[in-house]
Amino acid sequence: MFSFTRTLGARLSGVTARFASTAANAAKPTYKAPASVTVPTQFKPNTKGQGLMQLIAKEEVKRMGADGRSKLFNKSHPDCLRAGDVVLVETLNSMSADKTSTFVGVLIAMDRRGLHSNFTVRNVVLKVGVEMKYMLYSPMIKSVRIMKRGEGFRRAKLFYLRDNPGRAFRLEGLVKQDKAAQAKKAAKSA
Amino acid sequence: DEIVVVVNKAKANAVATASGVPKVKKGDVRHALVVRARKETLRPDGRYVRFDDNACVLLNKQGEPLGTRVLGVVSGELRQKRWMKLLSLAPKVI
C-alpha cells in the first residue's frame, strides 16, 4: 500500500528549505522518524479495484500471517485445517510473558472472513463440553498444530457433535501420545 | 458474575454444620458465583469460551465459597484477586 523508501525527514527537508528564512533555520537538523513508526511517502494509496478498508484488511492479513498461519485456512494447501481434525492450540497468556496455555479439541467450525477468520475447537473436559473460538490472526495465538486428521466427517460445520458426540472426544490417548512425542523430540534436540 | 439463586434441590448428606444441620436446604435463597455459562463469553484477545451447561458456586454472606471443593471445569473469567481461592480449588480452569 504505502512504500517506506523515503523517510519523513527527506520530505520535510524540502519543505523547510522552502520556508527557511534565516540561515539558522536552514541549518536545523531534519526530523528522522524512529524505526517503529511507519511513514507513508504517498498519501493517496492505489485503491484500484478495491476500497481503502479492503486494502487495509489485506495488508493486516499479510502482516499477521507472516508466520505462515494463513496456510491453515488455505484450501489448496496440503496443511490446511479441516472440520474434524484434532487440533492443539497454544495461546500466550499475555503479550509480555512467555507462558502459554494449550487447548486440545476437535475442530468443529471454520469461518473464513479475512482478518476476522476464526475457528471453533470443541472438547469434553471433566464431563463438561467446552468450546473455544479462536481468531486465526490474533497475536496471542502461538501455534496451531494438527494432532490427527479427521476421518469420515462429511460436513463443514460439525455442530451435530454437540448432541451426538459418538467417540469423537476420546482424546486422552492422543494427548498422551503427543506429549510423549514432544518429550522425545525435546530430548533428541537437546 | 455474582447472582442471587434459590436452591431447588439439596442433597441430604451435603454441607453440614457442627450440629449436623445441613447448611443448605431446599428453598434457601443464596448468593452464588457463575463459573460456567452456556452463553459464549468474550475474552480480551477476541477468543470466545462456551460451556455446555450453566454452573455456579454457592457463596456465604462474606462472599467466600460455601463449600470446600469445586467439581468440574471453571471459567477463566474468574481470574480476579477476589476469586483466587476458588480458582485454586478448581480442578481445571479454561
Side-chain angles (χ1 to χ4, degrees):
Chain A
M1 179 161 91
F2 304 126
S3 43
F4 308 129
T5 46
R6 292 200 315 160
T7 63
L8 190 63
R11 297 185 74 247
L12 268 185
S13 61
V15 177
T16 49
R18 228 191 302 158
F19 289 99
S21 46
T22 62
N25 276 348
K28 256 193 198 156
T30 53
Y31 173 72
K32 252 207 154 113
S36 56
V37 175
T38 47
V39 179
T41 54
Q42 35 156 175
F43 288 107
K44 194 156 195 266
N46 182 14
T47 56
K48 186 173 182 185
Q50 59 202 318
L52 181 60
M53 288 312 295
Q54 279 77 12
L55 252 177
I56 292 173
K58 264 195 193 170
E59 177 93 343
E60 274 301 297
V61 166
K62 213 173 171 187
R63 187 170 76 93
M64 299 307 298
D67 60 350
R69 56 180 75 185
S70 298
K71 69 170 191 273
L72 295 169
F73 269 49
N74 185 3
K75 274 195 206 169
S76 47
H77 199 282
D79 288 342
C80 94
L81 295 174
R82 256 178 218 108
D85 291 347
V86 177
V87 139
L88 188 147
V89 186
E90 229 182 312
T91 22
L92 295 167
N93 284 345
S94 85
M95 287 305 286
S96 49
D98 256 337
K99 278 187 114 184
T100 60
S101 27
T102 54
F103 187 74
V104 185
V106 178
L107 192 79
I108 59 169
M110 285 168 73
D111 268 322
R112 289 179 173 82
R113 296 181 194 287
L115 188 63
H116 193 61
S117 298
N118 56 76
F119 57 97
T120 314
V121 182
R122 179 182 169 84
N123 198 1
V124 174
V125 185
L126 292 170
K127 293 195 202 160
V128 178
V130 183
E131 281 178 24
M132 294 227 45
K133 186 188 240 186
Y134 293 97
M135 299 293 139
L136 177 69
Y137 292 114
S138 163
M140 304 293 270
I141 290 184
K142 190 174 170 196
S143 71
V144 178
R145 211 154 33 91
I146 301 174
M147 287 172 50
K148 183 181 168 211
R149 283 287 183 194
E151 275 177 36
F153 293 106
R154 304 197 63 180
R155 295 246 139 5
K157 304 278 188 292
L158 309 179
F159 296 134
Y160 68 86
L161 288 179
R162 289 172 184 160
D163 303 315
N164 294 319
R167 309 182 53 162
F169 300 110
R170 306 245 179 107
L171 305 174
E172 291 88 30
L174 255 179
V175 175
K176 270 195 195 159
Q177 248 179 26
D178 184 78
K179 265 195 183 163
Q182 293 294 307
K184 250 192 183 175
K185 235 195 218 178
K188 251 192 189 175
S189 60
Chain B
D1 279 354
E2 238 189 286
I3 57 172
V4 178
V5 296
V6 68
V7 178
N8 282 333
K9 240 194 281 182
K11 280 199 189 146
N13 59 344
V15 196
T17 56
S19 59
V21 174
K23 266 195 211 170
V24 175
K25 300 190 311 290
K26 179 183 164 182
D28 275 0
V29 177
R30 292 197 165 273
H31 285 254
L33 178 72
V34 178
V35 296
R36 288 198 296 272
R38 203 173 259 178
K39 177 73 183 160
E40 61 273 354
T41 38
L42 180 61
R43 295 269 168 89
D45 67 338
R47 270 186 291 168
Y48 282 96
V49 202
R50 185 204 347 241
F51 298 92
D52 268 5
D53 64 347
N54 302 309
C56 64
V57 165
L58 292 178
L59 306 169
N60 61 14
K61 284 210 190 94
Q62 282 75 44
E64 290 151 17
L66 202 60
T68 49
R69 278 163 54 210
V70 175
L71 305 171
V73 191
V74 144
S75 172
E77 319 301 304
L78 297 181
R79 274 189 217 281
Q80 296 163 31
K81 265 190 230 164
R82 196 169 165 206
W83 308 119
M84 285 319 250
K85 187 176 171 208
L86 197 75
L87 270 191
S88 60
L89 288 173
K92 181 103 184 170
V93 182
I94 289 196

